[in-house]
Every structure is written in C-alpha cells, then in structure tokens.
Amino acid sequence: MRSHIYRGVVVTGTGVTLPGVDRPEAVPAGRPEHAEPVDTTVILGRRGLRYKDRATQLAHCAAGVALSDAGLLVDGTLTVPSPTVGVVVSCNTGNLDTVVRVVDTLRTGTTDELSPMDLPKVSCNVVASSVAIKYGLRGPNLMLCNGSTSGLDAVRWAATMLETGRLERAVVLGVEPDTEPARTLLDGPRPLDGAVAIVLENASSAAAREARVLAGVAGHARGTGVAACVAELAAVGPAEPVAWHVPGPGAPAGPLPGVPRHDLTTAWGACSGALGVLQCVAAVGAFATGTTGAVYATAGGDGRDATAGLVLTPPGR
C-alpha cells in the first residue's frame, strides 16, 4: 500500500454537468426522476460541437463551469497565465463510439470510407486535449483510462504535479457518456452520461489571487483491498472521517463502523472513470452545507486489481 500526505493542495472550483443536477450539493441524491440528458448546446452553443463526441462535449461544459467557479475564467478569458493551468481527465469509455465506428468501417470496407473527422477522435487522449485547446490551458495535459480507480488517480496526479511545482493549478475532470458501445462494454447499470470537475490549486497561489477555498486535499492511498486502503487513509488523514464514499454496494462491512456511507454508483449508475471525481464534488457539496470533518473517498474494490483512496477536508482545516 502506497500513501502520501499533501500539504497546501486545495479545491477552488467545481463544475457539475449531470442530468437534472448542476451543483455539488445535489450530487448525493442522484439523478432526478424523468431528468433529461444534458443538452450541451444550451451550455456551450452549437458552434464547434458538430464533430465532437459526447464525452468531449460534456467535459467542455464541466470544465468551463469549474474554471469560472474558481475565478480563472471570466467572460471566456483566463485570468491567470495559461501555462500555469493543467488538465487531467479520467474517462474509460469516452471515445469508444468513435473507435467502434472506425473499426466497423475498416472491417467491412476500406480506409477510403473513413471520415476525416473521426480519425483525430480515435486517440484516447482526445477529451483532455480538446478541453485544453478550447480554454487555452497550456500546462501539462493528461488522460487516464485505468479502470475503477481512474478518477481518484486523476486527482492524485494533479495534486502531485501541484506539490512538485510542475504547475500551479489544474482542472480535473471525470466524464462518462451514455452511448451504445459504452452500455455494451459496461453490461450493467445505465452509464453516467455526465461530467464533473474540480479545480485544484496550490494554497499559496489561491491565496495570492484571493480565491475562495472549497476544500483541502489531505492525502491519498493506493494499493490492494478496501480495508487496507481505509486503514492507510486513517494514517494520512488529519482526523476520524465523518463520511465515507464507498466504491460500490459491495464494500466490506468491517471498516469505519458507525461512519455514514455514501454509494454514488447506486445514485448515478455506472460511473466508471468519473466516480472518484464525482465523490470529490459530493464532498465539496457536503462542506458547503455544514459538514465539518474529513471525508474519505474510495474507488476500486477487493475484486479489482487496485483500490484508491483520498482524504478531503473542509476549508481551513
């Protein structure tokens, strides 16, 4: 089990682009009954979206909201130097529909039948790179597609780059689209069909621009097994947690007796790579409504190849 204590990494913005939900406080309740899919043209307009896949469109929406919420984007213009802002995206099924379409074309036809607009979207990093291009973010640009721990891993990578001075701030996104190939691959609950984002920032950089701090990132753990991960989080966290976001309904009963559990996979379906970022957004929403203690977020399980965990704390803690 590997762990690390972060010092001076804070959350300064959030973005929520989910069916029927557009604020962190409403995330734990799940998708409202009869909520319509997100219409990205209402948020972004139609210009430039025609050849963007569903995941990229959703990510553009959440990133824009998060950057604006953090005060980094005002009237479409960055308020800080563009090389200081990076992008880290977690998405396991994002461009799967494009990949399937291209493969099917090649299986039954020739390369001459491929759409020139599809070929750039076959690359797995298309979501992260597209977000960076749209908002002019010239810092490090990473795309993670490594299964159930991917969302928390994305937060960890961003926090590590902040702590080591590689950048000053990063928009971290979790996005999964509801497409036919995604449904076939996941073979279970309905895919999330949404995106969430947080802006992570060095505390010193946030203070210098008098940014509002929404939460702190205290530490992470990664290894095998939920119980071992939770035990390690207790070692890197500042205090006993007051809430635990579990990886799913199969979380073991033993760890953290008496601590309230929240399962966002029950509320939102197959969150896949978006789960960890969704958990972080939900924790920010809890802090905004009065939660005063640490919140644990965990993804992956005993039947998976890894478990990842994160400790989030209220502002000023």
Side-chain angles (χ1 to χ4, degrees):
M1 183 69 63
R2 295 170 294 168
S3 62
H4 183 76
I5 298 174
Y6 291 111
R7 305 189 188 281
V9 177
V10 297
V11 180
T12 57
T14 62
V16 179
T17 304
L18 297 170
V21 173
D22 60 3
R23 56 192 179 89
E25 296 87 343
V27 166
R31 180 173 180 150
E33 189 176 3
H34 307 308
E36 294 293 325
V38 173
D39 184 350
T40 57
T41 63
V42 172
I43 301 170
L44 300 170
R46 295 186 179 278
R47 185 175 181 181
L49 292 185
R50 181 177 179 184
Y51 298 110
K52 296 289 190 297
D53 56 62
R54 177 69 173 167
T56 298
Q57 292 184 26
L58 291 167
H60 280 192
C61 293
V65 173
L67 290 167
S68 298
D69 187 51
L72 297 175
L73 192 69
V74 177
D75 296 329
T77 301
L78 280 178
T79 61
V80 295
S82 59
T84 69
V85 189
V87 180
V88 186
V89 177
S90 171
C91 185
N92 291 323
T93 67
N95 65 337
L96 189 60
D97 52 342
T98 303
V99 172
V100 169
R101 186 165 57 249
V102 169
V103 170
D104 284 347
T105 299
L106 292 175
R107 180 173 57 85
T108 60
T110 69
T111 55
D112 292 338
E113 298 174 65
L114 293 175
S115 166
M117 305 309 298
D118 272 345
L119 294 181
K121 296 187 295 181
V122 174
S123 174
C124 67
N125 73 334
V126 63
V127 180
S129 60
S130 183
V131 168
I133 291 169
K134 177 171 177 59
Y135 294 107
L137 311 179
R138 300 177 65 185
N141 184 278
L142 300 177
M143 183 82 183
L144 277 71
C145 315
N146 62 322
S148 56
T149 65
S150 190
L152 291 180
D153 291 340
V155 177
R156 174 172 63 94
W157 274 102
T160 299
M161 287 192 289
L162 290 170
E163 193 173 60
T164 57
R166 184 66 180 84
L167 48 74
E168 294 183 37
R169 47 193 70 86
V171 56
V172 184
L173 290 126
V175 55
E176 295 293 351
D178 184 0
T179 62
E180 192 60 38
R183 290 189 180 194
T184 300
L185 178 68
L186 295 172
D187 190 26
R190 181 179 185 176
L192 179 68
D193 199 43
V196 287
I198 58 174
V199 173
L200 293 186
E201 192 163 359
N202 285 326
S204 57
S205 297
R209 63 184 190 88
E210 300 182 345
R212 175 191 52 167
V213 173
L214 305 177
V217 179
H220 82 84
R222 197 178 195 281
T224 303
V226 175
C229 184
V230 169
E232 196 65 24
L233 290 178
V236 301
E240 187 75 12
V242 297
W244 177 22
H245 286 284
V246 298
L256 302 179
V259 175
R261 297 182 172 203
H262 304 282
D263 178 12
L264 295 180
T265 66
T266 298
W268 287 102
C271 301
S272 192
L275 176 60
V277 186
L278 190 68
Q279 292 172 334
C280 292
V281 169
V284 170
F287 298 146
T289 55
T291 295
T292 58
V295 173
Y296 285 7
T298 51
D302 293 340
R304 307 281 184 171
D305 61 353
T307 304
L310 199 71
V311 180
L312 296 112
T313 56
R317 294 300 179 92

